[in-house]
Amino acid sequence: MALTDLTAEQSITAIAAGRTSSEDLVRAHLERVEHDDWNNFLAVNREAALARAREIDAMPQRPPLAGVPIAIKDALSTRDLTTTAGSRILEGFRPIYTATCVARLEAAGAVVIGKTNMDEFAMGSSCENSAYGPSLNPWDTTRVPGGSSGGSASAVAARQAPWSLGSDTGGSIRQPAALCGIVGVKPTYGAVSRYGLIAFASSLDQVGPFARTVRDAALLLQSMVGRDPMDTTSLDWPDPIVLPTAGRLDGVRVGVIEELMGEGIEPGVRAACRAALRRVESLGGTVVPIELPHASYGLATYYLIAPAECSANLARFDGIRYGRRAEATDDLLEHYERTRGEGFGPEVKRRIMLGTFALSSGYYDAYYGQAQRVRTLIVRDFAAAFAEVDVLASPTSPTVAFRLGERTADPLSMYLSDVCTIPVSLAGLPSLSIPCGLSDGLPVGLQLAGPAFSENRLFDVAHALEAAIGFDPSPPGVTA
Ligand code: GLN
């Protein structure tokens, strides 16, 4: 087997057995990163990664992640390594510190090989809003990998890295994981420090793993969670994350979100999800229909709250403190206008305008305030559902990977890509996507969600299903 076909766990075992070294692993992946057919990388960390790999290889006692390479979404700050958030306004920007979650992984022995492409400031569902051109889907390069963490998902599917980090505000880990046929996890809000994550919508943003197996995803999350004094919304993690081993689902109650299994969901997606739910029953679990009466307001709620928060967060890009600066002018206001006019792409501008409007005096209560009230109703829907079931299931994305350009002219059709993932985000709950089959030769994702801090339970259920489904995460045509 080629080194780039190994999962992270297999790589750690191979290193421990002396069958390979971190340096060889890092080199093999870097080669695929440098011959990038999918435009997945915005920065490559070749020399520093190789140096770090050699350093880890020389350690008498290896750290737990043993020098396994990782790709990082370009929304996460990495000291001295270019970080652009997919935007022109941050072209060439080199942060002076590293995000806590990345620093924790590095301390645990992961080696950062590069920064991955993304929709500008994580706004989008296809990676087409990147200022640096879209990433492509390894299953079919005429199609999008999903977004906004498209490069991170595509890189793992294309074997440029065994695992990677993304960030998820309304679906940006789960949806691209679904479209690329891999596992993606959005942890409980607060589980992973946001310090060093370039903010989009702070009450929703969460960092999480992509991997080709559920166990790899759990292993990565294990090394990231926990309180960070630099992020006051980060939480003490109650129980350690345990790698799943259980094979059965006896006694597990799975609720199917009926609103997300009907109209608007492609028949092939629905069929693959139904088939996965039958596996739940054959593994000993029960499947019951569940209603979330306010879930259908999720999209409208999100598109008020997220733009409102982004309009505040993105005010810091003024051409003075960070990144790109427009040509000098004597007028301060004109300086801001030119810098932001040149630096931001159309979707980011649209969100800033929407958010500024929703927060403006006279409209604040009608839009932002109302959205917050609906958010509370959605939170209550989930609480009521979890009084009856352990886990909720739905498709992750209403469709399989769509064609490049298919939705760019119509923002609303793009926004609908996240109709299944957004309600969970608004409630701050953990959820993940696992591949559950193919439709028209393209991967379909099944979303599983649970109450806050139920990551271990989610990993158990996902792992049991993954084994029963036996999905092969190898896109045809992607060869080592
Ligand atoms: N597609 C959604 C948006 O554009 C979600 C993005 C995300 O999760 N970062 O806002």
Side-chain angles (χ1 to χ4, degrees):
M1 190 150 52
L3 288 177
T4 48
D5 279 334
L6 300 178
T7 64
E9 251 197 302
Q10 288 167 337
S11 305
I12 293 169
T13 311
I15 292 174
R19 291 197 301 273
T20 187
S21 64
S22 170
E23 185 178 355
D24 287 346
L25 262 177
V26 166
R27 203 179 286 283
H29 286 93
L30 277 171
E31 240 148 67
R32 291 183 72 81
V33 167
E34 281 162 357
H35 298 102
D36 189 354
D37 293 334
W38 308 277
N39 194 31
N40 285 337
F41 283 82
L42 299 180
V44 182
N45 196 29
R46 173 171 259 279
E47 294 318 316
L50 287 169
R52 177 68 180 148
R54 282 191 286 268
E55 205 174 282
I56 293 175
D57 282 331
M59 289 179 182
Q61 176 90 42
R62 279 180 184 274
L65 303 182
V68 174
I70 188 166
I72 305 288
K73 185 179 186 178
D74 209 27
L76 286 157
S77 300
T78 43
R79 185 175 167 171
D80 294 335
L81 179 61
T82 331
T83 301
T84 68
S87 183
R88 280 279 167 237
I89 210 163
L90 283 175
E91 197 167 4
F93 172 62
R94 282 166 186 268
I96 54 169
Y97 66 92
T98 296
T100 299
C101 58
V102 178
R104 284 186 180 173
L105 292 179
E106 288 184 314
V111 176
V112 175
I113 53 171
K115 304 296 293 292
T116 58
N117 198 6
M118 55 181 284
D119 285 299
E120 184 175 8
F121 287 106
M123 297 170 197
S125 306
S126 68
C127 226
E128 291 164 294
N129 293 336
S130 168
Y132 306 97
S135 286
L136 307 177
N137 191 317
W139 291 81
D140 175 349
T141 51
T142 67
R143 292 175 188 267
V144 304
S148 63
S149 316
S152 279
S154 175
V156 170
R159 274 122 180 103
Q160 293 172 304
W163 53 17
S164 63
L165 288 189
S167 65
D168 189 310
T169 306
S172 280
I173 294 175
R174 293 159 285 163
Q175 185 257 13
L179 270 44
C180 291
I182 60 168
V183 178
V185 183
K186 185 208 86 88
T188 303
Y189 181 79
V192 178
S193 166
R194 291 182 294 109
Y195 182 66
L197 170 68
I198 295 172
F200 163 14
S202 308
S203 76
L204 294 154
D205 297 342
Q206 261 302 283
V207 178
F210 287 104
R212 292 194 296 269
T213 66
V214 172
R215 281 177 59 97
D216 271 6
L219 181 61
L220 200 57
L221 188 62
Q222 207 177 47
S223 305
M224 286 194 291
V225 292
R227 201 175 140 60
D228 171 16
M230 302 304 282
D231 172 7
T232 51
T233 62
S234 68
L235 300 165
D236 279 319
W237 193 253
D239 309 303
I241 296 212
V242 185
L243 298 199
T245 50
R248 297 270 313 163
L249 294 176
D250 296 303
V252 177
R253 293 161 304 163
V254 177
V256 182
I257 308 178
E258 284 304 319
E259 291 87 346
L260 298 177
M261 286 298 272
E263 211 188 323
I265 308 294
E266 266 178 13
V269 168
R270 222 182 299 150
C273 291
R274 290 265 181 231
L277 293 168
R278 285 196 291 276
R279 306 251 184 207
V280 170
E281 286 172 328
S282 59
L283 289 167
T286 46
V287 176
V288 295
I290 283 284
E291 277 175 25
L292 297 174
H294 300 94
S296 55
Y297 302 109
L299 206 67
T301 307
Y302 174 90
Y303 277 98
L304 288 166
I305 293 174
E309 293 185 21
C310 107
S311 71
N313 275 326
L314 269 57
R316 61 171 64 94
F317 299 100
D318 56 8
I320 293 170
R321 288 172 288 185
Y322 305 88
R324 187 190 177 106
R325 171 175 301 189
E327 237 171 82
T329 124
D330 292 339
D331 185 86
L332 184 63
L333 201 60
E334 195 186 327
H335 164 83
Y336 291 153
E337 284 170 0
R338 275 207 216 159
T339 298
R340 290 165 68 83
E342 293 166 11
F344 289 140
E347 182 61 26
V348 172
K349 289 177 184 161
R350 181 179 297 122
R351 304 270 180 121
I352 292 173
M353 287 190 289
L354 270 171
T356 308
F357 177 76
L359 290 176
S360 55
S361 97
Y363 294 102
Y364 179 95
D365 203 52
Y367 294 105
Y368 182 73
Q370 187 69 359
Q372 291 292 19
R373 284 188 277 275
V374 179
R375 185 176 189 174
T376 301
L377 297 176
I378 293 173
V379 169
R380 287 186 192 152
D381 279 1
F382 278 102
F386 288 125
E388 287 175 42
V389 296
D390 302 302
V391 168
L392 284 170
S394 74
T396 306
S397 156
T399 67
V400 293
F402 45 94
R403 289 192 188 284
L404 289 154
E406 199 178 303
R407 300 190 188 170
T408 38
D410 177 5
L412 196 58
S413 78
M414 191 68 89
Y415 296 173
L416 279 166
S417 309
D418 296 299
V419 69
C420 305
T421 47
I422 277 176
V424 185
S425 298
L426 288 167
L429 302 176
S431 72
L432 51 77
S433 180
I434 54 166
C436 67
L438 296 174
S439 166
D440 295 331
L442 296 165
V444 174
L446 178 76
Q447 174 177 240
L448 299 172
F453 300 118
S454 66
E455 274 81 347
N456 278 328
R457 162 66 64 78
L458 286 177
F459 286 136
D460 280 345
V461 175
H463 178 64
L465 271 176
E466 173 185 56
I469 292 167
F471 182 85
D472 177 3
S474 319
V478 173
T479 45

PDB file of all heavy atoms in Angstrom, residues 38-52:
ATOM      1  N   TRP A  38      -6.249  19.599  -7.880  1.00  0.00           N
ATOM      2  CA  TRP A  38      -7.548  20.015  -7.369  1.00  0.00           C
ATOM      3  C   TRP A  38      -7.534  21.435  -6.794  1.00  0.00           C
ATOM      4  O   TRP A  38      -8.509  21.870  -6.227  1.00  0.00           O
ATOM      5  CB  TRP A  38      -8.018  19.004  -6.305  1.00  0.00           C
ATOM      6  CG  TRP A  38      -7.965  17.592  -6.823  1.00  0.00           C
ATOM      7  CD1 TRP A  38      -8.925  16.975  -7.575  1.00  0.00           C
ATOM      8  CD2 TRP A  38      -6.894  16.648  -6.660  1.00  0.00           C
ATOM      9  NE1 TRP A  38      -8.514  15.707  -7.896  1.00  0.00           N
ATOM     10  CE2 TRP A  38      -7.279  15.464  -7.344  1.00  0.00           C
ATOM     11  CE3 TRP A  38      -5.668  16.670  -6.015  1.00  0.00           C
ATOM     12  CZ2 TRP A  38      -6.462  14.330  -7.394  1.00  0.00           C
ATOM     13  CZ3 TRP A  38      -4.853  15.537  -6.061  1.00  0.00           C
ATOM     14  CH2 TRP A  38      -5.260  14.389  -6.743  1.00  0.00           C
ATOM     15  N   ASN A  39      -6.413  22.115  -6.895  1.00  0.00           N
ATOM     16  CA  ASN A  39      -6.274  23.481  -6.349  1.00  0.00           C
ATOM     17  C   ASN A  39      -6.645  23.525  -4.857  1.00  0.00           C
ATOM     18  O   ASN A  39      -7.327  24.433  -4.407  1.00  0.00           O
ATOM     19  CB  ASN A  39      -7.140  24.473  -7.152  1.00  0.00           C
ATOM     20  CG  ASN A  39      -6.793  25.929  -6.860  1.00  0.00           C
ATOM     21  OD1 ASN A  39      -5.650  26.257  -6.567  1.00  0.00           O
ATOM     22  ND2 ASN A  39      -7.782  26.796  -6.890  1.00  0.00           N
ATOM     23  N   ASN A  40      -6.168  22.542  -4.128  1.00  0.00           N
ATOM     24  CA  ASN A  40      -6.559  22.444  -2.721  1.00  0.00           C
ATOM     25  C   ASN A  40      -5.679  23.251  -1.776  1.00  0.00           C
ATOM     26  O   ASN A  40      -6.079  23.502  -0.649  1.00  0.00           O
ATOM     27  CB  ASN A  40      -6.536  20.975  -2.279  1.00  0.00           C
ATOM     28  CG  ASN A  40      -7.718  20.216  -2.837  1.00  0.00           C
ATOM     29  OD1 ASN A  40      -8.735  20.816  -3.177  1.00  0.00           O
ATOM     30  ND2 ASN A  40      -7.595  18.906  -2.951  1.00  0.00           N
ATOM     31  N   PHE A  41      -4.491  23.642  -2.218  1.00  0.00           N
ATOM     32  CA  PHE A  41      -3.560  24.271  -1.265  1.00  0.00           C
ATOM     33  C   PHE A  41      -3.236  25.718  -1.636  1.00  0.00           C
ATOM     34  O   PHE A  41      -2.950  26.020  -2.786  1.00  0.00           O
ATOM     35  CB  PHE A  41      -2.273  23.441  -1.163  1.00  0.00           C
ATOM     36  CG  PHE A  41      -2.482  22.211  -0.320  1.00  0.00           C
ATOM     37  CD1 PHE A  41      -3.049  21.068  -0.866  1.00  0.00           C
ATOM     38  CD2 PHE A  41      -2.176  22.219   1.033  1.00  0.00           C
ATOM     39  CE1 PHE A  41      -3.290  19.939  -0.074  1.00  0.00           C
ATOM     40  CE2 PHE A  41      -2.414  21.098   1.829  1.00  0.00           C
ATOM     41  CZ  PHE A  41      -2.972  19.961   1.273  1.00  0.00           C
ATOM     42  N   LEU A  42      -3.293  26.585  -0.645  1.00  0.00           N
ATOM     43  CA  LEU A  42      -2.937  27.992  -0.843  1.00  0.00           C
ATOM     44  C   LEU A  42      -1.524  28.270  -0.337  1.00  0.00           C
ATOM     45  O   LEU A  42      -0.925  29.275  -0.696  1.00  0.00           O
ATOM     46  CB  LEU A  42      -3.944  28.901  -0.118  1.00  0.00           C
ATOM     47  CG  LEU A  42      -5.401  28.775  -0.593  1.00  0.00           C
ATOM     48  CD1 LEU A  42      -6.305  29.714   0.205  1.00  0.00           C
ATOM     49  CD2 LEU A  42      -5.531  29.064  -2.088  1.00  0.00           C
ATOM     50  N   ALA A  43      -1.015  27.404   0.519  1.00  0.00           N
ATOM     51  CA  ALA A  43       0.374  27.535   0.981  1.00  0.00           C
ATOM     52  C   ALA A  43       0.903  26.146   1.303  1.00  0.00           C
ATOM     53  O   ALA A  43       0.160  25.304   1.813  1.00  0.00           O
ATOM     54  CB  ALA A  43       0.446  28.419   2.225  1.00  0.00           C
ATOM     55  N   VAL A  44       2.140  25.912   0.959  1.00  0.00           N
ATOM     56  CA  VAL A  44       2.769  24.621   1.246  1.00  0.00           C
ATOM     57  C   VAL A  44       3.910  24.883   2.225  1.00  0.00           C
ATOM     58  O   VAL A  44       4.664  25.835   2.072  1.00  0.00           O
ATOM     59  CB  VAL A  44       3.292  23.958  -0.052  1.00  0.00           C
ATOM     60  CG1 VAL A  44       3.902  22.603   0.243  1.00  0.00           C
ATOM     61  CG2 VAL A  44       2.176  23.840  -1.081  1.00  0.00           C
ATOM     62  N   ASN A  45       4.009  24.007   3.209  1.00  0.00           N
ATOM     63  CA  ASN A  45       4.943  24.234   4.314  1.00  0.00           C
ATOM     64  C   ASN A  45       6.135  23.269   4.222  1.00  0.00           C
ATOM     65  O   ASN A  45       6.566  22.704   5.214  1.00  0.00           O
ATOM     66  CB  ASN A  45       4.174  23.999   5.625  1.00  0.00           C
ATOM     67  CG  ASN A  45       4.878  24.559   6.844  1.00  0.00           C
ATOM     68  OD1 ASN A  45       5.622  25.534   6.747  1.00  0.00           O
ATOM     69  ND2 ASN A  45       4.636  23.945   7.998  1.00  0.00           N
ATOM     70  N   ARG A  46       6.666  23.086   3.003  1.00  0.00           N
ATOM     71  CA  ARG A  46       7.606  21.991   2.727  1.00  0.00           C
ATOM     72  C   ARG A  46       8.777  21.916   3.716  1.00  0.00           C
ATOM     73  O   ARG A  46       8.913  20.933   4.447  1.00  0.00           O
ATOM     74  CB  ARG A  46       8.133  22.110   1.289  1.00  0.00           C
ATOM     75  CG  ARG A  46       9.243  21.129   0.967  1.00  0.00           C
ATOM     76  CD  ARG A  46       9.580  21.130  -0.504  1.00  0.00           C
ATOM     77  NE  ARG A  46       8.976  19.993  -1.168  1.00  0.00           N
ATOM     78  CZ  ARG A  46       9.498  18.766  -1.151  1.00  0.00           C
ATOM     79  NH1 ARG A  46      10.605  18.514  -0.490  1.00  0.00           N
ATOM     80  NH2 ARG A  46       8.913  17.774  -1.772  1.00  0.00           N
ATOM     81  N   GLU A  47       9.603  22.943   3.744  1.00  0.00           N
ATOM     82  CA  GLU A  47      10.848  22.830   4.513  1.00  0.00           C
ATOM     83  C   GLU A  47      10.585  22.668   6.007  1.00  0.00           C
ATOM     84  O   GLU A  47      11.168  21.804   6.660  1.00  0.00           O
ATOM     85  CB  GLU A  47      11.765  24.031   4.246  1.00  0.00           C
ATOM     86  CG  GLU A  47      12.294  24.109   2.805  1.00  0.00           C
ATOM     87  CD  GLU A  47      12.734  22.749   2.240  1.00  0.00           C
ATOM     88  OE1 GLU A  47      13.412  21.983   2.958  1.00  0.00           O
ATOM     89  OE2 GLU A  47      12.374  22.454   1.073  1.00  0.00           O
ATOM     90  N   ALA A  48       9.692  23.491   6.531  1.00  0.00           N
ATOM     91  CA  ALA A  48       9.409  23.417   7.971  1.00  0.00           C
ATOM     92  C   ALA A  48       8.795  22.057   8.327  1.00  0.00           C
ATOM     93  O   ALA A  48       9.106  21.485   9.378  1.00  0.00           O
ATOM     94  CB  ALA A  48       8.466  24.543   8.380  1.00  0.00           C
ATOM     95  N   ALA A  49       7.946  21.520   7.445  1.00  0.00           N
ATOM     96  CA  ALA A  49       7.305  20.230   7.737  1.00  0.00           C
ATOM     97  C   ALA A  49       8.352  19.118   7.755  1.00  0.00           C
ATOM     98  O   ALA A  49       8.354  18.264   8.655  1.00  0.00           O
ATOM     99  CB  ALA A  49       6.220  19.934   6.705  1.00  0.00           C
ATOM    100  N   LEU A  50       9.240  19.136   6.776  1.00  0.00           N
ATOM    101  CA  LEU A  50      10.265  18.086   6.734  1.00  0.00           C
ATOM    102  C   LEU A  50      11.196  18.192   7.942  1.00  0.00           C
ATOM    103  O   LEU A  50      11.564  17.167   8.541  1.00  0.00           O
ATOM    104  CB  LEU A  50      11.060  18.165   5.426  1.00  0.00           C
ATOM    105  CG  LEU A  50      10.281  17.683   4.190  1.00  0.00           C
ATOM    106  CD1 LEU A  50      11.033  18.037   2.905  1.00  0.00           C
ATOM    107  CD2 LEU A  50      10.035  16.174   4.256  1.00  0.00           C
ATOM    108  N   ALA A  51      11.530  19.416   8.315  1.00  0.00           N
ATOM    109  CA  ALA A  51      12.410  19.602   9.469  1.00  0.00           C
ATOM    110  C   ALA A  51      11.737  19.077  10.737  1.00  0.00           C
ATOM    111  O   ALA A  51      12.351  18.374  11.550  1.00  0.00           O
ATOM    112  CB  ALA A  51      12.772  21.077   9.624  1.00  0.00           C
ATOM    113  N   ARG A  52      10.449  19.410  10.872  1.00  0.00           N
ATOM    114  CA  ARG A  52       9.728  18.949  12.068  1.00  0.00           C
ATOM    115  C   ARG A  52       9.603  17.414  12.063  1.00  0.00           C
ATOM    116  O   ARG A  52       9.744  16.776  13.119  1.00  0.00           O
ATOM    117  CB  ARG A  52       8.339  19.610  12.098  1.00  0.00           C
ATOM    118  CG  ARG A  52       7.444  19.182  13.222  1.00  0.00           C
ATOM    119  CD  ARG A  52       7.938  19.659  14.584  1.00  0.00           C
ATOM    120  NE  ARG A  52       7.026  19.206  15.644  1.00  0.00           N
ATOM    121  CZ  ARG A  52       7.395  18.904  16.878  1.00  0.00           C
ATOM    122  NH1 ARG A  52       8.659  19.042  17.246  1.00  0.00           N
ATOM    123  NH2 ARG A  52       6.505  18.511  17.763  1.00  0.00           N
TER     124      ARG A  52
END
